[in-house]
Amino acid sequence: MSAFLEISRLGIAFNRAAPPVLREVDLKIDKGEYIAVIGHSGCGKSTMLNVVAGLLPATVGGVVLDGAEVREPGPDRAVVFQNHSLLPWLTCYENIRLAVDQVFGRAMSKAERHDWTMKNLERVHMTHARDRRPGEVSGGMKQRIGIGRALAMKPKVLLLDEPFGALDALTRAHLQDEVMQIHAELGTTVMMITHDVDEAVLLSDRIVMLTNGPNATVGEVLTVPLPRPRDRLALATDPRFLEARQAVLSFLHERHKNPALKAA
Amino acid sequence: MTAIERKPVAVAPATTSSPGPSMMPKANRLKPFLDAVVPPAVVVLLLLVVWQIAFSGPNATLPPPSKVWADSSELILNPFFDNGGLDKGLGLHLFASLQRVALGFLLAAVAGIALGLLIGTSELAMRGLDPVFQVLRTVPPLAWLPISLAAFRDAQPSAIFVIFITSIWPIIINTAVGVRNVPQDYRNVARVIRLRGPKYFLKIVLPAAAPYIFTGLRIGVGLSWLAIVAAEMLIGGVGIGFFIWDAWNSSNLSDIVVALVYVGVVGFVLDRLVAFVGRLATRGTATA
C-alpha cells in the first residue's frame, strides 16, 4: 500500500555548479499524520516544504499526494506561511473569503461560502476581529487568520512553514494548543517545518530530522510515542516526552552541530 | 487538552475616580490643536517681521508686508470679483488654472497608470518603452510648449498638454515599480489558491501596487502645479500664471506677492488632497 503523501528520492539544486540543497529525501506520510521537519537553519527545510506545496520544482525525484504527482501549487496543499502572508488591504474576513471564493466558487452558493468563511473564523477564534485589517491585529491573530485561511481550503495536507517562529512564547503556546485541537477534530494531515524541539515533540507523531546542508537529507525519523490528546503541563515531566526531546537535541547538537557555530 | 478560553474583556478598574476624556480640562483637549498651529504661526509672524524690517528702507526693491496689504487688500479680501476681461479676482484665476491642471492631470493619471501597468507586467514592453521614457522625462515642461502650440494651434489644449506630459512620467515609473514589486508572499498566496489572469491582476497586483501608484500621482500633481504657472505666463489668458506675468508688466509687485502665497497654498492643498484620496483608496496600506 502506498502512502498518502510520498516524497521519493527528492533532490533540489538551485544551480548546476553548486552542490544540491537537498538530495535523496525519502518520506512517507500517512493520512492524518502530524509530521514535523526539524533541522538547523539553512538545511533546506523550507525548500522541502515549498516543493511539496508546488511552489518550487523538484530537480530530481518528486512528490505524490493521494495518487497524483505534485506539479504546481494548489489548495489541496494549503500553506501557512511563516510571515502569515495576509493581504493587508483586505479585512480578516475578506482574506479568508478570497480563498473560499476562489476554491469553492463553483461548488458552493454565495451564502454557503459566507457561512464557511465564518465557520473558519470561528475555528481560529477570530470572529470578533472579522472586519479588522491585518495591520490592526497582533502577530498571533494574523497567524490565526493564516491558519483559518489554509483550513478553509479543505486541504488534503496542511503545510506549516515555521508558523509560530515569529511569535512570543505565550502566544506560541496558545496557538500550538489550538493547532493540536484542530488536528484532533479534523484529522488533517500536517507537515510542519520548525526549529523548536519542544514544539516538534509536543505536536507531532513523527519528527523528521534533516542533516546539515548543502547535500542535506533525512538523518533520522523519530516516532513520538505519546498518546493524544496531549497536555503540555503533564508532558513537561513525562519521561517519554523528555526522552524524545533528548533524542532530537542530541541529533541536532551532538551529531549534526549547527555549521554556522562550528565555523565561528 | 481543553479549548483555549477566551481572554476576559478588559476588567473595569476598582476605583473610577480618574476622569474620562470628556471630563478633561479644556486646555488638555485643545493641546493637540495648539501644538499643530502655534509653531508655524510663530514662524510666519517672525518672517513677516523680518521682511517688514528688511524692506522698509527708502531703497527697498520689494514691498514690505504693510505695503502689500495697503496695495492689494482688495485682492485678498475679494477673490471672486469679475470686472470683465482679464480683470478678475485671484479666485477666478486660480479656478481657471485648476481646471487646466485637473484635465491634464486626469489624462496623465489614466494614461500613466495604463502605461505603467503595461511596462510593469510585460518585459518586452519595458525593454521597448523604458529607454524612450527615460529620455523624454528629462525634457523640461516648458520645452514642450512650442511644439504643442504648433500641433494644437490653440493655447488651451497646449497648456493642458504641457501638464499632461509633465506629470505622466512619475506616474508611469512608480506604477511600473509597484507592479514589478508585488511581494513574493502575495504571489505565493495567489498561486496556492490558483488566482490567475485578470482576477490575479485585479485582486493582487492592483491593490499591491496602489501605494506606489499614489506616490506617483502625488509627485505628478506637484509637477503639474509647477508647470501650469510657467506655461500660463507664456500662453496668456485667464490663469494664475498669466496674472503674475501681467502684474509684473504693470509693476504691481504687491499683487505678485499675494499671488505667490495663493499658488503655494493651492499647491499644498493639491498635494494633501491626492495623499488623502490615496489613503482612502489603499485602505490605509499606503505609507505616504
Side-chain angles (χ1 to χ4, degrees), chain A:
Chain A
M1 202 196 94
S2 64
F4 184 62
L5 174 66
E6 183 165 4
I7 302 174
S8 46
R9 306 202 57 209
L10 179 69
I12 300 142
F14 287 123
N15 124 22
R16 222 169 284 179
V21 181
L22 287 170
R23 70 177 167 86
E24 296 285 327
V25 174
D26 277 298
L27 190 61
K28 286 182 182 174
I29 300 174
D30 289 327
K31 197 167 186 173
E33 218 180 350
Y34 197 121
I35 295 287
V37 179
I38 198 165
H40 289 293
S41 29
C43 73
K45 315 184 283 282
S46 290
T47 309
M48 182 173 154
L49 180 120
N50 280 334
V51 173
V52 176
L55 292 166
L56 274 180
T59 314
V60 288
V63 179
V64 175
L65 172 64
D66 201 9
E69 193 185 351
V70 168
R71 290 174 188 282
E72 55 167 2
D76 57 338
R77 282 154 287 125
V79 188
V80 177
F81 298 94
Q82 180 176 12
N83 54 357
H84 63 77
S85 295
L86 299 179
L87 304 175
W89 54 87
L90 299 180
T91 62
C92 293
Y93 171 87
E94 288 166 336
N95 263 289
I96 298 183
R97 181 66 189 266
L98 178 67
V100 171
D101 282 350
Q102 193 57 23
V103 178
F104 303 112
R106 292 208 188 95
M108 290 184 187
S109 72
K110 207 169 177 185
E112 282 171 330
R113 277 180 272 145
H114 169 77
D115 291 345
W116 179 239
T117 306
M118 289 309 289
K119 166 86 188 143
N120 282 284
L121 270 172
E122 213 172 284
R123 200 178 262 158
V124 291
H125 306 298
M126 285 296 291
T127 318
H128 62 289
R130 55 173 285 189
D131 293 324
R132 285 204 260 166
R133 292 185 208 291
E136 301 163 348
V137 302
S138 69
M141 288 164 131
K142 281 182 218 160
Q143 205 48 282
R144 283 203 170 117
I145 296 297
I147 294 169
R149 177 173 65 185
L151 290 171
M153 301 175 204
K154 296 187 185 169
K156 286 179 180 165
V157 53
L158 185 62
L159 303 172
L160 308 177
D161 188 2
E162 297 190 27
F164 316 123
L167 305 176
D168 66 86
L170 288 175
T171 312
R172 193 185 308 162
H174 268 295
L175 278 177
Q176 286 166 348
D177 290 342
E178 284 186 24
V179 165
M180 262 200 288
Q181 203 196 334
I182 287 166
H183 177 241
E185 264 172 38
L186 304 178
T188 320
T189 312
V190 183
M191 182 170 153
M192 175 179 75
I193 304 297
T194 183
H195 50 227
D196 180 335
V197 177
D198 286 10
E199 178 172 285
V201 177
L202 177 68
L203 293 177
S204 45
D205 299 312
R206 281 192 295 154
I207 303 175
V208 176
M209 293 172 253
L210 294 185
T211 62
N212 287 324
N215 261 319
T217 188
V218 176
E220 235 174 82
V221 179
L222 176 81
T223 303
V224 182
L226 297 166
R228 291 178 189 273
R230 296 174 182 171
D231 178 306
R232 71 170 64 242
L233 280 179
L235 284 181
T237 51
D238 189 313
R240 289 169 298 179
F241 177 85
L242 296 174
E243 198 182 316
R245 191 169 175 271
Q246 185 58 39
V248 180
L249 282 173
S250 81
F251 176 91
L252 289 176
H253 298 298
E254 280 172 24
R255 277 165 285 157
H256 298 276
K257 273 194 179 140
N258 188 339
L261 292 178
K262 218 188 286 177

Side-chain angles (χ1 to χ4, degrees), chain B residues 197-240:
Chain B
K199 228 174 167 184
Y200 166 69
F201 202 80
L202 271 178
K203 301 251 177 196
I204 307 282
V205 175
L206 219 47
Y212 290 85
I213 295 176
F214 276 96
T215 302
L217 290 176
R218 222 175 141 185
I219 300 171
V221 85
L223 291 180
S224 310
W225 193 239
L226 293 182
I228 189 66
V229 174
E232 283 175 347
M233 284 187 176
L234 295 176
I235 60 166
V238 182
I240 191 72

Side-chain angles (χ1 to χ4, degrees), chain B residues 218 221 265-279:
Chain B
R218 222 175 141 185
V221 85
V265 170
V266 170
F268 174 77
V269 170
L270 282 179
D271 180 70
R272 286 303 150 104
L273 197 68
V274 175
F276 175 71
V277 173
R279 267 204 301 283

Side-chain angles (χ1 to χ4, degrees), chain A residues 72-75 83 88-89 102 174, chain B residues 4 185 192-195 207 283:
Chain A
E72 55 167 2
N83 54 357
W89 54 87
Q102 193 57 23
H174 268 295
Chain B
I4 302 306
D185 295 341
V192 167
I193 63 174
R194 299 217 169 118
L195 205 56
R283 304 183 185 175

Side-chain angles (χ1 to χ4, degrees), chain B residues 38-135:
Chain B
V38 170
V42 169
V43 171
V44 169
L45 206 68
L46 277 176
L47 280 176
L48 286 175
V49 169
V50 171
W51 176 12
Q52 179 72 36
I53 295 166
F55 291 99
S56 287
N59 297 324
T61 48
L62 294 176
S66 57
K67 188 166 184 312
V68 170
W69 179 257
D71 291 348
S72 310
S73 59
E74 165 73 9
L75 216 49
I76 301 169
L77 296 175
N78 188 6
F80 294 105
F81 71 85
D82 189 348
N83 296 338
L86 294 175
D87 189 10
K88 293 177 198 296
L90 268 176
L92 296 176
H93 281 288
L94 281 168
F95 185 65
S97 301
L98 280 172
Q99 270 182 317
R100 292 189 183 111
V101 167
L103 193 54
F105 177 67
L106 209 68
L107 291 172
V110 172
I113 292 173
L115 280 169
L117 294 177
L118 177 70
I119 67 172
T121 16
S122 157
E123 186 72 18
L124 187 69
M126 195 202 55
R127 265 188 247 148
L129 291 172
D130 194 55
V132 180
F133 291 165
Q134 294 299 342
V135 172

